[in-house]
Amino acid sequence: MKRNSRLSLALHTLGHMAGQPDRIRKSADIAAHAGTNPVVVRRVLGSLRQAGLLVSESGHSGGWRLARPPEEITLADVYLALDERLAAPDAEEEPHDCTVAHAFHHRVSTVMAEVEQSLIQKLGKTTIFEIRETATDLS
Amino acid sequence: MKRNSRLSLALHTLGHMAGQPDRIRKSADIAAHAGTNPVVVRRVLGSLRQAGLLVSESGHSGGWRLARPPEEITLADVYLALDERLAAPDAEEEPHDCTVAHAFHHRVSTVMAEVEQSLIQKLGKTTIFEIRETATDLS
DNA sequence: ATTTTCCGCAACTCCAACTGTTACGCAACT
DNA sequence: AGTTGCGTAACAGTTGGAGTTGCGGAAAAT
């Protein structure tokens, strides 16, 4: 894995779940299929659970499954569930910066915010169910 | 400095240069004003020179200055000069990935490419000269 | 009730990318 | 020749993420 690995892992897993929504999957199985570690899977899917996209259960026949039908989960939901943002949310404006730096920073932040809204809107138009239909696999 | 430091440093420097285009500035002075190191300044401004935005000269009265009038340098020029991209340019499609992963990856890459074009277009509408006018400093 | 199986979470290591720093070579002006 | 400043390579320090291990808790099977 390299970058955007969290998003890749999340989408990959949700894609398979969209194909068989009733099947309950274990972290270990998901990790094996994705070529990573069960703990990493729990971390990423934990964010999706926190956002209400997934449900996890402990115990003997526990595991992960979709919290709602795949037709109602968009790529934007996944993107927002993980906290990956294009622009840093301007944690602190350093007050000692000169006016020039402030002006540029403000302008760039504004543009980035607009672009991010555009991104979210675009991602919101596609559900994991639709994407899943694009793939012609049989697993 | 934190993240987006290259872009911040570049814009900050160009902003001041837009105010006094004829003044030649040394790496050391720029670094002192930005709170960083001269070598870092040379690295970042070196990218801008490679893109044709700046000119640098060696020797006793050497330094950095704009390669063309600030009215003709847009934020998009600076963004493109540094190689910061929103989406990785799909270096290699790992062929062992399953079809589901491919479908998602392709979809997300398409959306990201669209959004990046939108970003570049937005940035291209503002010049460093205009932004400079917004700032009301006097240095 | 005990065992098994799974998730939840914390702590640690490993690794890549970036910034900062030092050092040396080259170019240009005095 | 000496001074000044850029160009670049090499290295240290820092940061963030992925991977790993270990332990505790919950739920089903026995």
Side-chain angles (χ1 to χ4, degrees), chain B residues 32-33 37 39-40 56 84 113 128 139:
Chain B
H33 185 266
N37 193 282
V39 178
V40 176
S56 67
E84 304 186 350
I128 62 173
S139 78

Short mmCIF file of all heavy atoms in Angstrom, two decimals, chain B residues 32-33 37 39-40 56 84 113 128 139:
data_model
loop_
_atom_site.label_atom_id
_atom_site.label_comp_id
_atom_site.label_asym_id
_atom_site.label_seq_id
_atom_site.Cartn_x
_atom_site.Cartn_y
_atom_site.Cartn_z
N ALA B 32 15.24 34.67 6.30
CA ALA B 32 15.09 35.32 7.60
C ALA B 32 13.66 35.83 7.76
O ALA B 32 13.05 35.68 8.82
CB ALA B 32 16.09 36.47 7.73
N HIS B 33 13.11 36.40 6.72
CA HIS B 33 11.75 36.93 6.81
C HIS B 33 10.71 35.83 6.93
O HIS B 33 9.66 36.01 7.55
CB HIS B 33 11.45 37.79 5.58
CG HIS B 33 10.14 38.47 5.65
ND1 HIS B 33 9.00 37.92 5.10
CD2 HIS B 33 9.74 39.63 6.23
CE1 HIS B 33 7.97 38.72 5.33
NE2 HIS B 33 8.39 39.76 6.00
N ASN B 37 15.32 28.42 6.33
CA ASN B 37 16.74 28.34 5.98
C ASN B 37 16.98 28.75 4.52
O ASN B 37 16.16 28.46 3.67
CB ASN B 37 17.20 26.89 6.21
CG ASN B 37 18.71 26.77 6.19
OD1 ASN B 37 19.31 26.78 5.13
ND2 ASN B 37 19.30 26.67 7.36
N VAL B 39 18.84 27.51 2.26
CA VAL B 39 18.84 26.38 1.33
C VAL B 39 17.42 25.96 0.99
O VAL B 39 17.12 25.62 -0.16
CB VAL B 39 19.63 25.20 1.92
CG1 VAL B 39 19.60 24.02 0.98
CG2 VAL B 39 21.06 25.62 2.20
N VAL B 40 16.55 26.01 1.96
CA VAL B 40 15.15 25.68 1.71
C VAL B 40 14.56 26.68 0.72
O VAL B 40 13.84 26.30 -0.21
CB VAL B 40 14.36 25.69 3.03
CG1 VAL B 40 12.89 25.45 2.78
CG2 VAL B 40 14.93 24.66 3.99
N SER B 56 17.37 33.93 -11.10
CA SER B 56 18.36 34.07 -10.03
C SER B 56 19.72 34.35 -10.64
O SER B 56 20.03 33.88 -11.74
CB SER B 56 18.43 32.78 -9.20
OG SER B 56 18.94 31.72 -9.97
N GLU B 84 2.97 19.81 -6.54
CA GLU B 84 1.95 19.30 -5.63
C GLU B 84 0.68 19.01 -6.39
O GLU B 84 0.06 19.89 -6.95
CB GLU B 84 1.69 20.33 -4.54
CG GLU B 84 2.95 20.72 -3.79
CD GLU B 84 2.65 21.64 -2.63
OE1 GLU B 84 1.51 22.10 -2.54
OE2 GLU B 84 3.57 21.87 -1.82
N ALA B 113 -9.30 13.97 -10.89
CA ALA B 113 -8.73 14.70 -12.03
C ALA B 113 -9.62 15.87 -12.40
O ALA B 113 -9.13 16.98 -12.67
CB ALA B 113 -8.55 13.76 -13.21
N ILE B 128 -0.71 37.27 -8.69
CA ILE B 128 -0.07 37.67 -7.45
C ILE B 128 -0.11 39.19 -7.30
O ILE B 128 -0.01 39.71 -6.19
CB ILE B 128 1.39 37.17 -7.39
CG1 ILE B 128 2.22 37.78 -8.51
CG2 ILE B 128 1.44 35.66 -7.47
CD1 ILE B 128 3.69 37.48 -8.41
N SER B 139 5.69 47.15 3.82
CA SER B 139 7.10 46.75 3.76
C SER B 139 7.60 46.80 2.32
O SER B 139 6.87 46.47 1.42
CB SER B 139 7.28 45.34 4.30
OG SER B 139 6.88 44.40 3.34
#
